[in-house]
Amino acid sequence: MSLQIRSLEAYQKAYQESIECPADFWASIAEQFVWRKKWDKVLDYDWLKPTTQWFLGAQLNITENCLDRHLVTRPDQTAIVWEPNDPNEPSQQISYKELHSQVCSFANVLKNNGVQKGDRVCLYMPMVAELAVAVLACARIGAVHSVVFAGFSSSALAVRINDAQCKVLLTADGGFRGHKITPLKDIADEALKTCPSIQKVIVYQRTRQNITWNPSLDVWWHEELQKVNNHCPAEPMDAEDMLFILYTSGSTGKPKGMVHTCGGYMVYTAYSFQNVFQYQEGDMYWCTADIGWITGHSYIVYGPLLSGATTLMFEGVPSYHDFGRFWEICEKHKVNQFYTAPTAIRALAKYPVELVTKYDLSNLKVLGTVGEPINEEAWHWYDQHVGKHRCPIVDTWWQTETGGIMISSLAGITADKPTFATHPLPGIQPVLLDQQGNEITATKAEGILAIKHPWPSLARTIYGDHKRYKDVYFAAYPTYYFPGDGALRDAGGNYRITGRVDDVVIVSGHNLGTAPIENAVNEHEKVVESAVVGFPHEVKGNALYAYVTTYDDVVPSADLTQEIKEIVSKTIGPIAKPDKIQFVKGLPKTRSGKIMRRILRKIAAKDTSNLGDVSTLLNPEVVQDIINHSL
Ligand code: WTA
C-alpha cells in the first residue's frame, strides 16, 4: 500500500481534491486498507451538536492492517527494533511474523483474564516492546486501551483508571529510565487502593526488583503466556467503535479522556505517516516519544505498522549513558527518519557539539519535531549539527485530540521554513479567526487557529463527558474545531503556531504572544531556555516576566539582563521588553516536556498560596527555588 505523495504538484492536486470533495478523497485513500465490510457512507457530521462519523457502517480490525496483511508481503521484515535503556544490553528485532504471533498470544492472555470487547484496559508500562504488543492485543479483541505514561504518580494513575472504569491493569515490576528505576508495581499498588473497577493486574517482569504480591489480583505476564496459543482471530469492529482513550491535561479540572475510533484513526495515521516522513521501503524510522503520549500511539505504533515500516522503540532517556545517546542510536541502527521534541533538542544543544559529530549520522534523511513551537536557534542547531543541512525538517503541528499530524511540510516534497509548521496536510482546512470569530481573509495575518472541516482522526468525544468536549472544542467558535492555539500566516500561506491562545498577554493594549518573545530571549548566546508570562501592572495592565535558564558556566548579571532586553527590543519591539528577568536553575515542566506557565504566572503575580497540583511535574523541586528568588 502506498498512500504517498511524491511531488509538489501531486500535493497540490491532492489538497485541491481533498477540499473540493472530502468524501471521495478519503474514500479513495481508505480503499487501500483491509475492511471486513465497506462503508455505506463516508462522512456524516454536525459540529453544532457536535458529532463526527467516518466510514459509517464499515467493519475492520486495525491489527489486520498492522499485522496480518504484512504476513503475505513482509513476514520476515523487522517490524519493531527495541533499544534498551542500558547500551550494553542487546537490542531486539521483532519481525512482522513474530509480532503477529506475540500479539495473538497476548490477546489470548487478555481473554483468559476476563477482558471482553468494549472493556477498558489500562497500560502503565515502561517502554518495553511488550507495551506495543499489549496495545495491539487490546485492539485485536476490541478492548479499549488507555495507556498512562509510566512517569505519572499513583494519584494521576488512579484518576485515569477510575474515569475509564478499567477492568484490567497491565504493568511491570519496574521500569529503567537512565540511572533510575521507577517502581511501577508499587505505584500501581498505591493507586489500586482507590480503584475498585480493576479485577486483574498482569505484571511484566523487567527489573526483577522485589514487589508486593497480591494473589487475589496479580498474575505474571510470562506465566500467563504459558497457558495460551498464538491463534486469535481479530474481532470485527465498527469503524466508529472505540479504539482507545488517551488522557490529556486540560487548562482546568481533571484530565480529558480523548476517545479515538477505529476506522478514521487508522486511515489518517497511515496516510499522514507516509506523507510527512516520506518513509521508503527498507528505511529505519525512529520516533523518540513515549507510547504514553499520542505521538507514540500514532507515530511509533499505528502509523508505521500500518505502513509496513520498521519502527524503533527506545526504552531510555536522551541523557543516558551520556548526552550523545540519541546520536549513538541513530548510528547503531542506521536511522533514516528521526522525530523528536524541541525540548529534547534544546537540552542536547547545551552540550558540546562533539557529542553529535562523533557519530555517523549519514543515514539520516528526515528530521521531525513535535509538541511545542520550535525556536529559531534550536531549529538551526538541529539543521546544522544533526541534519548537516541536508535533511528536511518537518515541524509537525497536531494534538492528542487531532489524532494525527495536521500542519507540516512533507519531507523533501513541500518546502520547510524555520519555526513554521508550514502547510496543512490534504484534508485539513485551517483558518485564522479574529477575536469575534470571523475568518480572516488576508493571507498574511495573525489570529486564532481553527479547523473548518472534519478529518478522519479527530477525537470523537471526551470519555463520559460529551458536554465538556463541546464546551472546550466547539462552543467558542461554532461550526469550527478550536484547538486552543494561535497562529500566524505568512504571504506564502505558511502557518506558524505562536503558542496557546491563553498564553497571549496584553501589554498596554498590545496583544503579545509569549512564544515569539521567548524565541527572542533564547537568541542570546548565553541563554538555554526561557518562559515568558504576563503579570498585573498598574499602568500597562500587564507586564512581562521572563524566567531564563543559562548555560552552566554563565554568571547572571545586570549586563546580561540588559542584553536580553535589547535583543527582545530589537527582534519584536520595545513593547515586548520584559519588565523582570529572573535567572532560574530550571523551568517547571510537564512530563511531556511542556513548560507549566500556569505556575510561573502565579509566581509572577506573587500569588503562591495555591499553586495547584505540582506533583505531576517532571521537576517539582525547581518551583520552590523559583519562588525563593522571585523578583
Ligand atoms: C503544541 C502533541 C507548535 C500545541 C502531538 C498543541 C505545537 C499542543 C506543535 C498539543 C508544533 C504541538 N508547533 N506547537 N509543531 N506540536 N504543539 O496534545 O500547543 O501533547 O495544541 O499533542 O502542543 O499537545 P499534545
Side-chain angles (χ1 to χ4, degrees), residues 101-114:
S101 163
Q102 289 186 26
V103 168
C104 289
S105 297
F106 196 71
N108 286 332
V109 167
L110 292 174
K111 281 192 199 166
N112 275 355
N113 283 281

Side-chain angles (χ1 to χ4, degrees), residues 294-504:
I294 190 68
T295 307
H297 282 61
S298 302
Y299 299 111
I300 296 178
V301 181
Y302 286 112
L305 296 177
L306 286 164
S307 307
T310 301
T311 176
L312 195 152
M313 256 180 94
F314 176 40
E315 183 184 33
V317 292
S319 55
Y320 182 75
H321 53 104
D322 67 26
F323 283 89
R325 186 70 190 280
F326 271 5
W327 323 122
E328 184 185 334
I329 296 173
C330 284
E331 176 182 291
K332 176 174 173 189
H333 294 290
K334 300 190 168 53
V335 171
N336 301 110
Q337 289 89 11
F338 176 76
Y339 188 28
T340 196
T343 181
I345 298 168
R346 286 196 297 266
L348 297 177
K350 263 173 85 169
Y351 292 88
V353 73
E354 289 69 43
L355 280 171
V356 188
T357 52
K358 75 183 205 193
Y359 294 104
D360 175 7
L361 301 180
S362 60
N363 287 295
L364 285 175
K365 297 195 282 195
V366 176
L367 302 178
T369 81
V370 58
E372 54 178 324
I374 181 164
N375 53 301
E376 192 110 25
E377 207 184 347
W379 196 98
H380 287 294
W381 184 90
Y382 200 30
D383 178 44
Q384 180 182 350
H385 299 296
V386 182
K388 323 282 182 202
H389 300 302
R390 7 168 236 98
C391 300
I393 296 181
V394 292
D395 176 352
T396 63
W397 174 79
W398 60 296
Q399 310 177 292
T400 306
E401 296 85 337
T402 68
I405 297 168
M406 303 287 281
I407 304 182
S408 170
S409 52
L410 311 185
I413 304 293
T414 65
D416 56 29
K417 177 172 179 179
T419 75
F420 281 75
T422 74
H423 288 276
L425 266 64
I428 307 305
Q429 301 189 32
V431 293
L432 294 179
L433 304 178
D434 63 21
Q435 296 292 340
Q436 285 70 45
N438 303 311
E439 274 184 41
I440 303 173
T441 49
T443 307
K444 191 169 183 312
E446 183 160 5
I448 295 154
L449 184 61
I451 313 288
K452 205 176 163 155
H453 188 278
W455 65 100
S457 63
L458 168 68
R460 303 297 194 253
T461 190
I462 293 175
Y463 190 78
D465 198 349
H466 199 66
K467 180 175 180 303
R468 188 175 180 200
Y469 175 75
K470 178 175 181 170
D471 289 348
V472 176
Y473 305 108
F474 294 92
Y477 305 97
T479 75
Y480 295 95
Y481 168 75
F482 167 61
D485 285 318
L488 61 81
R489 195 164 51 203
D490 73 5
N494 289 293
Y495 284 87
R496 174 180 184 162
I497 313 306
T498 47
R500 302 293 304 173
V501 184
D502 42 13
D503 288 336
V504 170

Side-chain angles (χ1 to χ4, degrees), residues 174-185:
F176 293 118
R177 273 176 78 76
H179 293 282
K180 288 195 222 141
I181 291 182
T182 317
L184 296 174
K185 176 67 164 62

Side-chain angles (χ1 to χ4, degrees), residues 520-521 524 526-527 546 548 555-571 574 577-583:
V521 173
H524 195 289
K526 293 182 177 163
V527 171
V548 175
V555 183
S557 65
D559 281 352
L560 184 54
T561 303
Q562 202 46 42
E563 285 166 25
I564 292 171
K565 287 186 179 177
E566 285 307 323
I567 291 188
V568 177
S569 182
K570 233 175 75 200
T571 341
K577 257 198 291 191
D579 275 32
K580 296 182 179 179
I581 295 182
Q582 181 183 351
F583 296 99

